[in-house]
């Protein structure tokens, strides 16, 4: 059986270091907002090439807190609009609506599944005050063009980097392009914690200071609350575990690239569409997503061949019951993508034999 992603095996590679990190935290007697967090924030900021990183409880909170902070700063107000790709995971939309902001759902580029500057120009209207580009599947959005457009309209840019740890354009990493960026360290991410965790990156010191207060009940100083805040702190244990895994991220991303290269060079089936890579971008292959009109049949064929696959994602946000007010929207490209995508195994620990099995099974599929 070729599993989609074997987290136990992935973390066992670092078992001794992870156990020592756990012991270090336990023995410290300090479990919230201590040295492990501050050191991880410094190390992750340095990795991303930014001045500040702020650890929070999860990726959704990272998105939500940035938008909330911009409201506190007067840069956004209720009912302002935020352009966001329509084919994203629902968390990107939740962060917008939970701040009493309005999502403008933009069709993605059919080849890369990310936003394009051209699509943003077509969707722009005066009520739009921000852009939330999502670097889907591990490929960074065309940020040079997006930032140029954003600056021309005085728009804020919040990168959703939940799937793009280490992705880059011209050696500038995801998380260093926008006014701020949100990361998830959900266990299955390229940089995964052993539980929920997230972070925000920015070069804005005032924003970073406000975010550190907002994540901690709105408090800069104990028992003094400047804002109506949240409890969204990245705890010491997860920070320590992430510190262990961060130095291995580049190596594991490279392993993902080698698997993706095999897939792209050796998958030959007329019924599938392979992912497209931008020539400028350095892809980190959080997911390897193909498209096919015969998804159900192909998935059943692969399952019977001992290949585990997943669907990211079967239902777009505007068709979810949670967003009934958007159910009437017609977004044909987004709907086509969600109806056809299928994610093949992508695990940095896959063997050559594992990859061979996946390729043989996909190539052997007949509709």
């Amino acid at each position: 059986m070729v599993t989609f992603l074997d987290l136990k095996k992935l973390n066992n590679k670092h078992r001794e270091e992870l156990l020592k990190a756990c012991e270090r935290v336990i023995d410290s007697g300090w479990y919230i907002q201590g040295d492990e967090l501050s050191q991880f924030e410094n190390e992750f900021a340095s990795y991303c090439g930014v001045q500040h990183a702020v650890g929070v409880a999860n990726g959704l909170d990272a998105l939500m807190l940035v938008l909330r902070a911009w409201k506190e700063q007067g840069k956004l107000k209720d009912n302002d609009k935020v352009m966001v790709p329509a084919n994203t995971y629902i968390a990107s939309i939740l962060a917008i609506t939970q701040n009493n902001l309005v999502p403008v759902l933009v069709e993605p580029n059919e080849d890369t599944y990310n936003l394009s500057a051209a699509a943003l120009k077509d969707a722009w209207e005066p009520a739009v005050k921000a852009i939330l580009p999502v670097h889907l599947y591990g490929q960074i959005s065309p940020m040079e063009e997006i930032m140029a457009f954003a600056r021309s309209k005085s728009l804020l840019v919040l990168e959703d980097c939940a799937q793009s740890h280490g992705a880059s354009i011209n050696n500038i990493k995801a998380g260093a392009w926008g006014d701020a960026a949100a990361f998830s360290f959900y266990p299955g991410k390229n940089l995964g914690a052993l539980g929920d965790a997230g972070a925000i990156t920015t070069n804005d010191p005032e924003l970073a200071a406000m975010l550190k207060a907002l994540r901690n009940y709105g408090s800069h100083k104990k028992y003094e609350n400047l804002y109506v805040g949240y409890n969204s702190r990245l705890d010491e244990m997860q920070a320590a575990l992430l510190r262990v895994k961060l130095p291995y991220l580049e190596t594991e991303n490279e392993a993902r690239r080698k698997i993706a290269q095999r897939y792209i060079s050796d998958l030959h089936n007329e019924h599938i569409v392979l992912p497209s890579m931008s020539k400028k971008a350095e892809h980190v292959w959080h997911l390897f997503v193909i498209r096919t009109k015969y998804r159900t049949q192909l998935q059943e064929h692969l399952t019977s061949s001992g290949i585990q696959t997943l669907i990211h994602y079967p239902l777009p946000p505007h068709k979810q019951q949670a967003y009934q007010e958007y159910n009437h929207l017609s977004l044909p490209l987004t709907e086509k993508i969600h109806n056809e995508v299928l994610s093949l195994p992508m695990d940095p620990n896959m063997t050559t034999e594992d990859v061979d099995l996946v390729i043989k099974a996909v190539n052997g599929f007949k509709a």
Side-chain angles (χ1 to χ4, degrees), residues 11-45:
N11 288 312
N12 271 342
K13 289 173 59 177
H14 314 301
R15 181 180 178 84
E16 294 305 316
E17 289 182 85
L18 292 170
L19 288 172
K20 287 179 182 178
C22 289
E23 289 180 357
R24 190 170 69 239
V25 173
I26 293 168
D27 293 344
S28 75
W30 193 288
Y31 308 121
I32 298 288
Q33 297 202 129
D35 289 341
E36 296 291 346
L37 174 60
S38 61
Q39 289 188 63
F40 172 69
E41 288 174 332
N42 290 336
E43 290 160 6
F44 191 65

Side-chain angles (χ1 to χ4, degrees), residues 79-248:
N79 298 314
D80 279 346
K81 295 186 176 182
V82 180
M83 292 193 289
V84 61
N87 62 314
T88 186
Y89 182 57
I90 198 170
S92 309
I93 314 301
L94 290 170
I96 296 169
T97 59
Q98 287 178 4
N99 276 288
N100 294 318
L101 302 168
V102 180
V104 176
L105 302 175
V106 181
E107 291 268 53
N109 178 284
E110 186 171 3
D111 295 325
T112 66
Y113 309 116
N114 284 332
L115 286 177
S116 68
L120 291 170
K121 290 175 184 176
D122 290 341
W124 179 83
E125 54 185 282
V128 169
K129 302 301 178 185
I131 305 172
L132 204 164
V134 181
H135 309 319
L136 204 62
Y137 306 150
Q139 180 162 217
I140 192 170
S141 306
M143 292 306 297
E144 293 168 309
E145 293 86 350
I146 289 173
M147 292 305 299
F149 171 72
R151 296 298 177 245
S152 74
K153 300 293 184 182
S154 300
L155 304 177
L156 296 162
V157 177
L158 169 57
E159 297 175 71
D160 185 335
C161 301
Q163 299 186 2
S164 61
H165 312 74
S168 64
I169 298 174
N170 296 331
N171 296 316
I172 300 175
K173 284 189 170 67
W177 286 91
D179 299 289
F183 288 83
S184 166
F185 303 122
Y186 183 78
K189 303 299 185 183
N190 290 40
L191 178 61
L194 274 70
D196 269 324
I200 298 157
T201 57
T202 184
N203 286 316
D204 182 342
E206 292 181 4
L207 177 63
M210 179 175 285
L211 289 166
K212 287 181 178 181
L214 285 172
R215 74 177 176 188
N216 187 41
Y217 301 97
S219 173
H220 277 284
K221 183 179 178 182
K222 195 168 185 178
Y223 302 128
E224 294 182 13
N225 303 78
L226 296 178
Y227 315 105
V228 179
Y230 304 85
N231 178 9
S232 181
R233 301 172 299 207
L234 174 58
D235 66 65
E236 287 289 280
M237 188 66 76
Q238 295 300 340
L241 298 174
L242 286 165
R243 290 186 67 208
V244 169
K245 298 182 72 175
L246 179 59
Y248 298 100

Side-chain angles (χ1 to χ4, degrees), residues 305-317:
S305 301
I307 311 297
Q308 183 184 24
T309 59
L310 295 175
I311 299 172
H312 298 87
Y313 305 97
L315 200 62

